[in-house]
Amino acid sequence: LLWIRQGRLPPPPDAVVWPGSEEEVQAVIRLCRARRIAVIPFGAGSGVCGGTVAVKGGIALDMKRLEAVGTVDPQRRCVDVQAGVLGEVLERSLNAQGWTLGHFPSSIYMSTLGGWLAARSAGQLSSRYGKIEDMVLSVRAVSGAGELLVTPERPFRGPDLAQLLVGSEGTLCAFTGARLRVHPAPEARALRGYRFNRVSEGVEAIRVLMRAGLRPAVVRLYDPFDTALVARSRPHPSPTPPSMRGTWKSDTVPFLLRQISRHALSRPILLNRAAGALRRCLLVTMFEGEGARTRKEDEQARILCTQRGAVDLGEEPGLHWLKERYSVSYKMSKLVDSGALADTMEVAATWDKVMDVYERVRAAAASIAFVLCHFSHAYPEGCSLYFSFALSDVSEQAQERRYDALWRTALSAARSAGATVSHHHGVGLLKSAALREELGEGVVLLDRLKRALDPDGIMNPSKLWAVP
Amino acid sequence: LLWIRQGRLPPPPDAVVWPGSEEEVQAVIRLCRARRIAVIPFGAGSGVCGGTVAVKGGIALDMKRLEAVGTVDPQRRCVDVQAGVLGEVLERSLNAQGWTLGHFPSSIYMSTLGGWLAARSAGQLSSRYGKIEDMVLSVRAVSGAGELLVTPERPFRGPDLAQLLVGSEGTLCAFTGARLRVHPAPEARALRGYRFNRVSEGVEAIRVLMRAGLRPAVVRLYDPFDTALVARSRPHPSPTPPSMRGTWKSDTVPFLLRQISRHALSRPILLNRAAGALRRCLLVTMFEGEGARTRKEDEQARILCTQRGAVDLGEEPGLHWLKERYSVSYKMSKLVDSGALADTMEVAATWDKVMDVYERVRAAAASIAFVLCHFSHAYPEGCSLYFSFALSDVSEQAQERRYDALWRTALSAARSAGATVSHHHGVGLLKSAALREELGEGVVLLDRLKRALDPDGIMNPSKLWAVP
């Protein structure tokens, strides 16, 4: 976005190719292999880590013509889908048949199945339905050697080849399709918001909830300032729900929000300090599925949360979240249009490290950018931390330098507190050096796999673990 | 067992080596690589598919000295364990710390973590706790190239290297340890037996139960004759529980059981026909975990089963199953001592194929062996079918021929009905040709991975997919 504002372009591919069949994907890759041309598999380009930047030129293999969605097999509860279909088109097509994939990334209008598979995508309901890798029964892909790979379904025996390919971000193969697990449309849904007096109490509540064996579709905690933004986001002229108004009326949030000018963002330390004085934060939970169990799990979660000092805000904050769940990502470009910069950084950590990652990233980035965070995609072992940054500076050049410094500082702080570099945005170019560091000697094994599947090194060069 | 009875031995290794550290494992494998000597990783030798037979001689790498069990990290709920520890020792050590792995294969007294990882082992409570691959946060292994591989924990990004190594049955690496997910000892347990009037109704009940999102620790259906054997198994002189007596009193089972002599087994078609006249079969369910939810799930399962015509037999059949759960496997050798032969064959299929696999295997094997079956390890998509065979013949040679014919016929029938060759016993030697057939062109990819991880082809030759 910064470059576009400056009229610059990331390195473009030499050509864009739209294959219409698996055979055409194979033909393109074989040709590229014979001529040593780089191949960059391309879905809808919503990635935020530079995973499809053509650093060595080559061919962008745009998969959008491979968009067939099969008929759901109701007995087996699965469906065959081609890799180029857009998420929202896929979900609507399944809904029309009475089913859901349960995968709702905020990019759903502009990301494809192939991209999800490449980057191990997580939807907003991942705590119940899993990440895309948990929804996959088998995958179809063309390797860098030009072979069609069809992994065995539910591999109870032998190496799990689907899980070897999923997450490879175009460096080993181009996905052409997958067999996906589907679910009947949920019978019931229970939404609820809670107010906690400290981030740490909210994080502890999520941990306890997951450890109790509950399976919320959504369990999402906003830190105090992110909470304020969420509560205020209302593109529709409906009034803020009364319960939320009640929550924040004594806070200084509206004042603070008015202060987020470009000028304020260039001196974020003050903003961060002010935000640090806020305490109250919002937890949103959603349970869905069979009616009776949904109500029971919601009730059990309510007991666990209120035992930990939470105030039950009823369903309105949940309904509000549900209504606005795709709109947040679109606001970032508005901020950029205004001349400032915004970005997000998601990492993941085990419960013993979550608060430390949160505090250290905030501290490290405090003088560079204004920092927000929410905690989501929870597991029995830990959760994802999703940081949002806003920054500004006197010139475009200074802003770019600040942006680069932010990434270096924030990611390094997260890593040194024990976080893994990415949970669901992928690694791409942006985090490849950090992943290489995190993997240590494991890089040797990846290099070997690369040579096994992409012997001439044509697939998406320089990505993921900075593939040589 | 047949060979041992005949005084024959499977091909022995040239040497047995007991490494005491990862470094020693590396040193052995490097030496073997330099001299092109085969390496066969060895746990406790309980495998039933010939996975550790030294077909090309070489070194048996016995891992039992690597038996350290770490301290459970209660905050992260995980533990580091070395590969050579026996299952029961591991579980007892975790229990002493207040935790459980939740992994209870019937081989638990004579199988190791390394063997579980190699073969993708499933315990009897897998429907709740998962198979061993679901319990693994990361693995440590030495590749055929002599490198120590430590896979990243919870790989949210990149290829999943742990899942590439798990299931490789010694053909890519030797496992040295793993970080495993643990669970608190269950607060409550609910056991129950049901009587169904047909196998198909019982299978349908399991499907409905899994589809309703219930998470039974055990859900296990015995076909009519297996039911009769389960009901009668009582090495302790306690009387058969009254509810079970009531269930079978009008059946011809006791009569049939008395007839299973070697002579009868040599003409199994009659036995199979008689067993085919039996209808009633036993489903055992067990829920465990937090008290209130355990009771609720048990109650919901009871409603779903009785709606489908089941008779609720109360908890006694469940208690009986629990008490005898490890004893079945030991009975096989008694039958073998008597001069007959017994074996088991486990496969897995999706729900649409389960009954067809059951019927076709029974029909195909009917004239060769007496056939029993139970259905267990259920998933939303399908379950495992576990066949037991008993056979006899006039001479040892004829018995061996019959045994080979049984395997060819039964496995081919299962495969042609759409089953996958193995769910949790592994593939080894016995099923490698069938796996090769099942994988089709996928073999090419496995061959490449083999070359990447074991460049000189020393690791457990001729196993899994008949590695060249």
Side-chain angles (χ1 to χ4, degrees):
Chain A
L1 291 171
L2 179 70
W3 282 8
I4 287 170
R5 203 168 63 196
Q6 298 170 0
R8 290 156 67 192
L9 277 177
D14 298 303
V16 176
V17 174
W18 282 276
S21 67
E22 274 176 344
E23 292 68 33
E24 289 185 8
V25 174
Q26 279 188 279
V28 172
I29 291 182
R30 284 177 180 161
L31 181 75
C32 288
R33 188 182 171 192
R35 310 224 175 154
R36 303 288 192 276
I37 297 167
V39 177
I40 303 120
F42 191 94
S46 68
V48 291
C49 297
T52 57
V53 173
V55 283
K56 297 191 179 176
I59 282 177
L61 195 62
D62 189 323
M63 308 298 282
K64 277 194 282 296
R65 282 178 66 207
L66 293 173
E67 57 175 352
V69 177
T71 306
V72 170
D73 180 333
Q75 176 76 352
R76 302 186 57 186
R77 293 206 174 177
C78 64
V79 64
D80 291 329
V81 181
Q82 285 190 306
V85 68
L86 281 169
E88 202 267 343
V89 173
L90 168 58
E91 180 63 18
R92 244 191 306 127
S93 158
L94 295 177
N95 293 167
Q97 302 181 52
W99 301 85
T100 179
L101 179 60
H103 193 68
F104 303 95
S106 66
S107 65
I108 193 165
Y109 289 94
M110 47 172 164
S111 59
T112 63
L113 171 61
W116 297 346
L117 293 171
R120 292 190 176 261
S121 165
Q124 293 170 340
L125 276 51
S126 76
S127 297
R128 178 176 180 85
Y129 297 101
K131 292 180 72 190
I132 194 71
E133 58 259 39
D134 306 307
M135 302 174 180
V136 159
L137 298 176
S138 70
V139 300
R140 302 177 71 91
V142 176
S143 75
E147 296 151 340
L148 178 64
L149 310 174
V150 184
T151 65
E153 196 168 336
R154 288 235 59 138
F156 295 120
R157 69 286 169 289
D160 189 336
L161 302 177
Q163 294 302 326
L164 167 65
L165 301 176
V166 172
S168 58
E169 301 194 19
T171 63
L172 303 177
C173 65
F175 291 104
T176 56
R179 178 162 293 175
L180 300 168
R181 179 182 287 177
V182 295
H183 306 268
E187 198 180 298
R189 213 171 238 182
L191 287 150
R192 200 172 289 278
Y194 299 94
R195 187 182 67 211
F196 283 88
N197 286 324
R198 286 171 189 283
V199 170
S200 58
E201 287 169 8
V203 167
E204 175 63 10
I206 302 178
R207 190 181 73 86
V208 167
L209 210 140
M210 296 309 292
R211 289 278 170 90
L214 296 181
R215 283 175 298 175
V218 175
V219 54
R220 183 174 277 247
L221 176 77
Y222 296 91
D223 80 352
F225 215 91
D226 211 348
T227 293
L229 290 183
V230 169
R232 281 179 58 88
S233 70
R234 33 177 178 134
H236 308 291
S238 62
T240 306
S243 59
M244 287 307 295
R245 264 211 310 271
T247 315
W248 310 112
K249 65 184 171 196
S250 66
D251 279 345
T252 48
V253 174
F255 168 76
L256 275 172
L257 279 174
R258 278 195 299 273
Q259 305 308 309
I260 307 188
S261 61
R262 281 194 56 187
H263 182 66
L265 286 177
S266 65
R267 297 191 310 182
I269 195 97
L270 295 174
L271 265 175
N272 284 314
R273 209 170 282 163
L278 297 172
R279 288 287 168 84
R280 292 172 166 191
C281 50
L282 174 69
L283 176 73
V284 172
T285 63
M286 180 171 108
F287 291 88
E288 68 172 40
E290 186 266 325
R293 183 129 25 78
T294 298
R295 281 188 299 277
K296 276 173 200 159
E297 293 210 17
D298 175 50
E299 175 58 17
Q300 202 180 337
R302 204 183 60 75
I303 292 168
L304 291 174
C305 286
T306 50
Q307 278 172 348
R308 272 150 197 87
V311 175
D312 175 7
L313 303 175
E315 69 169 353
E316 294 204 28
L319 290 171
H320 184 71
W321 170 82
L322 191 65
K323 196 166 141 201
E324 301 302 329
R325 68 191 190 278
Y326 298 136
S327 61
V328 177
S329 308
Y330 295 93
K331 288 182 183 157
M332 209 184 285
S333 52
K334 282 191 191 166
L335 190 63
V336 175
D337 288 345
S338 81
L341 263 188
D343 206 353
T344 60
M345 179 186 90
E346 46 80 55
V347 296
T350 49
W351 290 120
D352 55 327
K353 294 174 182 141
V354 168
M355 281 306 295
D356 202 31
V357 173
Y358 174 63
E359 298 295 359
R360 285 222 231 170
V361 170
R362 278 181 68 206
S367 62
I368 311 176
F370 181 54
V371 187
L372 312 173
C373 181
H374 69 260
F375 305 78
S376 52
H377 308 292
Y379 303 84
E381 286 84 15
C383 71
S384 164
L385 295 93
Y386 194 107
F387 292 96
S388 299
F389 302 111
L391 62 86
S392 189
D393 212 318
V394 287
S395 68
E396 289 283 313
Q397 288 68 26
Q399 209 168 87
E400 193 169 343
R401 277 196 303 274
R402 190 184 279 239
Y403 176 83
D404 289 338
L406 169 69
W407 266 100
R408 270 197 314 277
T409 309
L411 195 54
S412 152
R415 290 248 308 112
S416 69
T420 183
V421 296
S422 170
H423 175 266
H424 62 277
H425 279 183
V427 172
L429 266 182
L430 197 57
K431 294 178 167 179
S432 60
L435 178 60
R436 214 181 162 81
E437 232 178 271
E438 184 175 320
L439 290 173
E441 294 181 13
V443 164
V444 178
L445 180 52
L446 281 176
D447 286 342
R448 292 255 192 83
L449 295 175
K450 172 80 175 171
R451 278 197 295 277
L453 287 166
D454 177 23
D456 294 296
I458 57 169
M459 299 303 291
N460 209 9
S462 311
K463 306 295 167 55
L464 195 50
W465 71 102
V467 183
Chain B
L1 291 172
L2 180 69
W3 282 9
I4 287 170
R5 202 167 64 196
Q6 298 169 0
R8 289 157 66 191
L9 277 178
D14 298 304
V16 177
V17 174
W18 282 276
S21 67
E22 274 176 344
E23 292 68 34
E24 289 185 8
V25 174
Q26 279 188 281
V28 172
I29 290 181
R30 283 178 180 160
L31 180 75
C32 288
R33 188 181 173 193
R35 310 223 174 155
R36 303 288 192 277
I37 297 167
V39 176
I40 302 119
F42 191 93
S46 69
V48 291
C49 296
T52 55
V53 173
V55 284
K56 297 191 180 176
I59 281 177
L61 194 62
D62 190 322
M63 307 297 283
K64 278 193 281 298
R65 282 178 67 208
L66 294 172
E67 57 175 351
V69 177
T71 306
V72 170
D73 180 333
Q75 176 75 351
R76 303 186 55 186
R77 293 204 174 180
C78 64
V79 64
D80 290 330
V81 181
Q82 284 190 307
V85 68
L86 280 170
E88 202 267 343
V89 173
L90 168 58
E91 180 63 18
R92 243 191 306 128
S93 158
L94 296 177
N95 293 168
Q97 302 181 52
W99 301 86
T100 178
L101 180 60
H103 192 67
F104 303 95
S106 66
S107 66
I108 194 166
Y109 288 94
M110 48 172 162
S111 58
T112 63
L113 171 61
W116 297 346
L117 294 171
R120 291 189 176 261
S121 164
Q124 293 170 340
L125 277 49
S126 75
S127 297
R128 178 175 179 86
Y129 297 101
K131 292 179 72 191
I132 194 71
E133 58 258 41
D134 307 307
M135 302 175 180
V136 159
L137 298 175
S138 70
V139 300
R140 303 176 71 91
V142 176
S143 75
E147 295 150 342
L148 178 64
L149 310 173
V150 184
T151 66
E153 196 168 336
R154 288 236 59 138
F156 295 121
R157 69 285 170 290
D160 188 339
L161 302 177
Q163 295 302 326
L164 167 65
L165 301 177
V166 172
S168 58
E169 301 193 20
T171 63
L172 303 177
C173 66
F175 291 103
T176 56
R179 179 162 292 175
L180 300 168
R181 178 183 287 176
V182 295
H183 306 268
E187 196 180 299
R189 212 171 236 181
L191 285 149
R192 202 171 288 279
Y194 299 95
R195 187 181 67 212
F196 282 90
N197 287 324
R198 285 170 190 284
V199 169
S200 58
E201 286 169 9
V203 168
E204 175 64 9
I206 302 178
R207 190 180 73 86
V208 167
L209 209 140
M210 297 309 293
R211 288 280 171 88
L214 296 181
R215 284 176 296 176
V218 175
V219 54
R220 183 175 275 248
L221 176 77
Y222 296 91
D223 80 352
F225 214 91
D226 212 348
T227 294
L229 290 183
V230 169
R232 281 178 57 88
S233 70
R234 33 175 180 137
H236 308 291
S238 62
T240 305
S243 59
M244 287 307 295
R245 264 210 311 273
T247 315
W248 309 111
K249 66 183 171 198
S250 66
D251 279 343
T252 48
V253 175
F255 169 77
L256 275 172
L257 280 173
R258 279 194 299 274
Q259 305 308 308
I260 306 187
S261 61
R262 282 197 54 187
H263 182 67
L265 285 177
S266 67
R267 297 191 310 182
I269 196 98
L270 295 173
L271 267 175
N272 284 314
R273 210 169 281 162
L278 298 173
R279 288 288 169 82
R280 292 174 166 187
C281 50
L282 174 70
L283 176 72
V284 172
T285 62
M286 179 171 108
F287 291 87
E288 68 172 39
E290 186 266 325
R293 184 131 21 80
T294 298
R295 282 188 300 278
K296 276 173 199 157
E297 293 210 18
D298 175 51
E299 175 57 18
Q300 201 180 338
R302 206 182 60 75
I303 292 168
L304 290 174
C305 285
T306 51
Q307 278 173 349
R308 272 150 197 90
V311 175
D312 175 6
L313 304 174
E315 68 170 353
E316 295 206 28
L319 291 172
H320 184 72
W321 170 82
L322 191 65
K323 196 167 142 200
E324 301 301 328
R325 69 191 189 279
Y326 297 136
S327 62
V328 177
S329 308
Y330 294 93
K331 289 181 183 157
M332 210 184 287
S333 52
K334 282 191 191 165
L335 190 63
V336 175
D337 288 344
S338 81
L341 262 188
D343 205 353
T344 60
M345 179 184 91
E346 46 81 53
V347 296
T350 49
W351 291 120
D352 55 326
K353 294 173 184 143
V354 168
M355 281 307 295
D356 202 30
V357 172
Y358 174 63
E359 298 294 357
R360 284 220 232 172
V361 170
R362 278 182 67 206
S367 62
I368 311 177
F370 181 53
V371 187
L372 312 174
C373 181
H374 68 259
F375 306 78
S376 53
H377 307 292
Y379 303 84
E381 286 84 16
C383 72
S384 163
L385 295 93
Y386 193 109
F387 293 96
S388 298
F389 302 112
L391 62 85
S392 187
D393 212 317
V394 287
S395 68
E396 289 283 312
Q397 287 69 25
Q399 210 169 86
E400 193 169 344
R401 277 196 303 273
R402 189 183 279 240
Y403 176 82
D404 289 339
L406 169 70
W407 265 100
R408 271 197 313 278
T409 310
L411 195 53
S412 151
R415 289 247 309 112
S416 69
T420 183
V421 296
S422 170
H423 176 267
H424 61 276
H425 279 183
V427 171
L429 267 182
L430 196 58
K431 293 178 167 179
S432 61
L435 178 59
R436 215 179 161 82
E437 232 177 88
E438 185 175 320
L439 290 173
E441 294 181 12
V443 164
V444 177
L445 181 52
L446 281 177
D447 286 341
R448 291 255 193 82
L449 295 175
K450 172 80 175 170
R451 278 197 295 277
L453 287 167
D454 178 23
D456 294 297
I458 57 169
M459 299 304 291
N460 209 8
S462 310
K463 306 296 168 53
L464 195 50
W465 71 104
V467 183

